[in-house]
Amino acid sequence: MSILVYIENIDGTLKKSAFELLTYARAIGELTQQDVIALNIGTVDASSVNKIGEYGVEKLIQIDSEKLTQFVNQAYASIIAEVAQHIGANTVIIANSFNGKGLAPRIATKLGAALVDGAISLPTVENDVWKIKKTAFSNKAIAHTELHTSKRVITLTPNSFEAKVNPVSLTMETYDPKLVDGDFSTLIKNIVRATDKVALPDADIVVSAGRGLKGPENWGMIEELAAILGAATACSKPVSDAGWRPHSEHVGQTGLAVSPKLYIAIGISGAIQHLAGVSSSKTIVVINKDPEAPFFKVADYGIVGDAFEIIPQLIEAIKTYKNN
Ligand code: FAD
């Protein structure tokens, strides 16, 4: 038996989550004495392939087909399940990403496997029962799940498991899956990336701002702060609803869920619907002029004050620190 880990790429470059998944899968492989095999669908560049071995996985199955250049949920799910059966994998690990969330239930159904979506821990395994922690109720609780099946599909929450280098030599083989016409009834014709900056779901640092910024003309300082920190930018729902920022930046219950190492919330009140998408961030810094703002209750660090005074000072302080 083995473990299959499906890694995602963007235009041929592996996503950051891929390395977290490889490290996570390798750790489960060591725990359960199983081989780990990575699966990539679509062309991937040579430096990304080399990194698969760097992160401790010895075998890559590579699938290339013109029909698979864009992500097609049904087809990718069929292929991942087919490869899992082909290699005799009892565990399939994928990212709890936008694509992964769509794939996981389909794969689990095809394999007759149990599903843990949004895992945040390694399993403990006792008498073939796997116990895994996952987030629940929009990150407000942690669920302790028990899997009593012989097959399982696990989606790993991004940023919940640190990628670690552990070089091994990699072998690669290609695989020709069955492509069923019925799996291609819904096709994505073109993808226009919202930004070429740091991708929000993958970002280690997120600088996020809300209605306290008063208007879109004030986002220059947010962009600048994000740029010097190498961070992605995000916003609250009313900000994207008002068209001040693109909808792709909206985080929260009805937007993207993120869990960066550092989340800086500027002029955001901290409504429960916003917190639902950001509260699993490792460190939360809140900047708000209202000391009673609910966000301070979940903050690791808080600054009470006017963002229009604090942010320029923060930018200058970081620049000085970097120059020294
Ligand atoms: P406000 O609540 O107006 O807060 C602005 C904050 O800025 C205040 O705390 C104020 O003290 C501070 N401020 C003002 N001026 C300054 C200054 N100069 N310097 C520093 N601070 C200042 N919201 C989301 O964000 N994401 C979601 O996914 C989401 N989903 C929702 C789903 C539903 C079903 C519902 C009903 C609501 C949802 N909301 C969501 C909306 C949510 O309830 C809040 O209304 C929203 O998060 C508030 O956005 P805000 O904090 O930017 O604005």
Side-chain angles (χ1 to χ4, degrees):
M1 282 292 170
S2 57
I3 295 168
L4 180 67
V5 51
Y6 166 63
I7 47 180
E8 293 179 35
N9 71 78
I10 301 180
D11 299 334
T13 301
L14 288 182
K15 289 170 80 173
K16 178 179 156 243
S17 63
F19 306 112
E20 295 168 359
L21 285 182
L22 292 168
T23 310
Y24 183 76
R26 192 192 66 220
I28 296 184
E30 283 165 8
L31 185 76
T32 57
Q33 311 273 295
Q34 296 187 94
D35 292 333
V36 178
I37 298 169
L39 168 65
N40 178 69
I41 302 176
T43 310
V44 65
D45 57 47
S47 76
S48 286
V49 170
N50 290 338
K51 281 189 179 161
I52 295 169
E54 270 176 46
Y55 284 84
V57 171
E58 290 168 351
K59 187 167 172 187
L60 168 68
I61 293 180
Q62 171 64 27
I63 295 179
D64 267 317
S65 161
E66 266 184 25
K67 289 187 89 172
L68 300 169
T69 47
Q70 298 286 24
F71 177 74
V72 189
N73 192 330
Q74 292 94 323
Y76 274 46
S78 297
I79 291 167
I80 295 167
E82 185 186 323
V83 174
Q85 277 161 337
H86 171 70
I87 63 169
N90 60 13
T91 305
V92 177
I93 299 172
I94 58 183
N96 198 40
S97 60
F98 182 78
N99 290 353
K101 284 176 189 169
L103 287 171
R106 288 179 193 274
I107 299 168
T109 305
K110 286 174 193 290
L111 296 176
L115 170 64
V116 179
D117 57 328
I120 52 168
S121 75
L122 279 172
T124 54
V125 181
E126 219 175 293
N127 300 326
D128 288 334
V129 176
W130 290 37
K131 293 182 183 173
I132 304 182
K133 280 193 250 174
K134 57 165 263 175
T135 56
F137 301 115
S138 305
N139 290 332
K140 283 193 281 296
I142 290 175
H144 297 259
T145 51
E146 280 191 9
L147 310 182
H148 292 257
T149 50
S150 60
K151 290 184 182 173
R152 49 204 81 81
V153 174
I154 302 169
T155 71
L156 179 68
T157 298
N159 285 325
S160 63
F161 199 80
E162 196 174 342
K164 284 201 186 113
V165 171
N166 177 17
V168 293
S169 64
L170 178 78
T171 57
M172 187 166 140
E173 77 180 44
T174 53
Y175 181 80
D176 275 329
K178 292 184 211 100
L179 298 178
V180 184
D181 283 346
D183 279 343
F184 291 88
S185 49
T186 307
L187 292 180
I188 297 169
K189 285 297 190 191
N190 190 21
I191 294 177
V192 180
R193 302 251 173 253
T195 170
D196 57 0
K197 289 178 263 170
V198 184
L200 185 50
D202 279 346
D204 280 341
I205 306 177
V206 173
V207 175
S208 188
R211 222 158 25 184
L213 267 279
K214 318 288 183 218
E217 65 281 4
N218 295 323
W219 247 262
M221 61 181 184
I222 302 299
E223 298 266 11
E224 193 181 350
L225 179 60
I228 56 171
L229 290 172
T233 48
C235 67
S236 65
K237 183 174 184 291
V239 163
S240 65
D241 285 349
W244 295 0
R245 297 298 290 177
H247 278 289
S248 54
E249 287 194 1
H250 158 198
V251 291
Q253 184 185 313
T254 46
L256 275 176
V258 293
S259 47
K261 289 181 182 159
L262 175 61
Y263 185 81
I264 305 177
I266 303 163
I268 303 176
S269 56
I272 194 157
Q273 296 89 353
H274 185 87
L275 297 182
V278 306
S279 57
S280 63
S281 306
K282 304 275 177 304
T283 301
I284 297 178
V285 174
V286 171
I287 301 170
N288 198 305
K289 70 175 186 185
D290 175 8
E292 300 299 321
F295 224 141
F296 283 121
K297 291 200 179 105
V298 296
D300 297 286
Y301 301 93
I303 302 175
V304 179
D306 187 338
F308 293 93
E309 289 170 17
I310 290 164
I311 302 306
Q313 288 178 35
L314 193 55
I315 291 169
E316 281 316 307
I318 296 169
K319 279 185 185 163
T320 310
Y321 174 79
K322 284 195 159 186
N323 288 339
N324 293 335

